[in-house]
Amino acid sequence: MNDLEQARPSPVEFGPYLDGPHRLQVIGLWQSVFGYETAHNRPSLAIDRKLAVQDGLFFVAASRDRVVGTIMAGYDGHRGWLYSVAVDSSHRMSGVGSGLVRHAERALVARGCVKINLQIRAGNEPVTEFYRALGYCVDERISMGKVVPENAGEA
Ligand SMILES: CC(C)(COP(=O)(O)OP(=O)(O)OC[C@H]1O[C@@H](n2cnc3c(N)ncnc32)[C@H](O)[C@@H]1OP(=O)(O)O)[C@@H](O)C(=O)NCCC(=O)NCCS
């Protein structure tokens, strides 16, 4: 490898999550980016449940073989959703997050999705600017949720 090749950053590619090579890396990334305190958000549980529905809407960004970002999407026939948008701190501010969102959007649009929603945790408001640049705006809604203890390991 010459000096020029060494200086050039490795390209980041977007593709489907593959359980063999990606699981431990994704768990490590999510723990470092989100830190999880509740059983129902346990990364291994989230991955298992997502793979079980076989919807092909779980993607990673990889630089060579290293996972540097994730996005999970969902489509229920009415709305599309984005979850687990995360980029490793070493690869931020270089378009990886935007690329992940656009990659997931294309998959949702191909399924006929007419609106895509996402939630931002209280305290993470600055990230609205990231989504605004991608065409999202704040919906005047109250978000509610309910954990199902018998499926979430919290029973
Ligand atoms: C949010 C996140 C995914 C963005 O990833 P990224 O690869 O750095 O994003 P990009 O490089 O594609 O940034 C695109 C634009 O959004 C802006 N942006 C990125 N992260 C931002 C943040 N946290 N706050 C405000 N603006 C942000 C950038 O300035 C950039 O604007 P520009 O094109 O005018 O320079 C990444 O910061 C991250 O993993 N954060 C922690 C997890 C998180 O908050 N996820 C979202 C949960 S809802």
Side-chain angles (χ1 to χ4, degrees):
M1 193 185 289
N2 61 35
D3 288 349
L4 193 62
E5 284 169 327
Q6 279 180 340
R8 195 182 299 146
S10 306
V12 172
E13 295 181 347
F14 305 100
Y17 167 90
L18 304 173
D19 201 41
H22 295 158
R23 178 176 284 253
L24 290 180
Q25 296 190 70
V26 168
I27 290 172
L29 176 66
W30 286 354
Q31 280 168 339
S32 73
V33 171
F34 299 120
Y36 286 108
E37 293 163 8
T38 50
H40 73 273
N41 273 327
R42 214 166 61 245
S44 57
L45 178 72
I47 293 171
D48 288 344
R49 294 290 193 269
K50 188 59 173 171
L51 296 182
V53 299
Q54 298 186 331
D55 61 3
L57 289 172
F58 184 11
F59 306 104
V60 300
S63 175
R64 298 189 192 274
D65 291 331
R66 183 181 159 218
V67 172
V68 297
T70 62
I71 191 165
M72 207 184 255
Y75 182 56
D76 56 20
H78 181 58
R79 294 288 181 252
W81 285 87
L82 300 180
Y83 307 93
S84 306
V85 182
V87 174
D88 186 81
S89 53
S90 65
H91 279 72
R92 289 187 189 164
M93 306 302 278
S94 59
V96 176
S98 307
L100 280 163
V101 171
R102 292 198 187 99
H103 190 83
E105 285 178 344
R106 282 194 289 276
L108 291 170
V109 170
R111 286 161 170 77
C113 175
V114 298
K115 182 165 187 278
I116 303 171
N117 294 332
L118 59 92
Q119 295 176 317
I120 295 170
R121 286 186 193 183
N124 198 15
E125 290 82 0
V127 85
T128 54
E129 295 311 314
F130 165 73
Y131 290 111
R132 275 187 213 281
L134 290 163
Y136 292 78
C137 46
V138 175
D139 282 336
E140 293 303 320
R141 304 280 188 277
I142 295 172
S143 177
M144 296 180 71
K146 176 180 176 178
V147 175
V148 179
E150 56 268 41
N151 287 337
E154 295 185 349

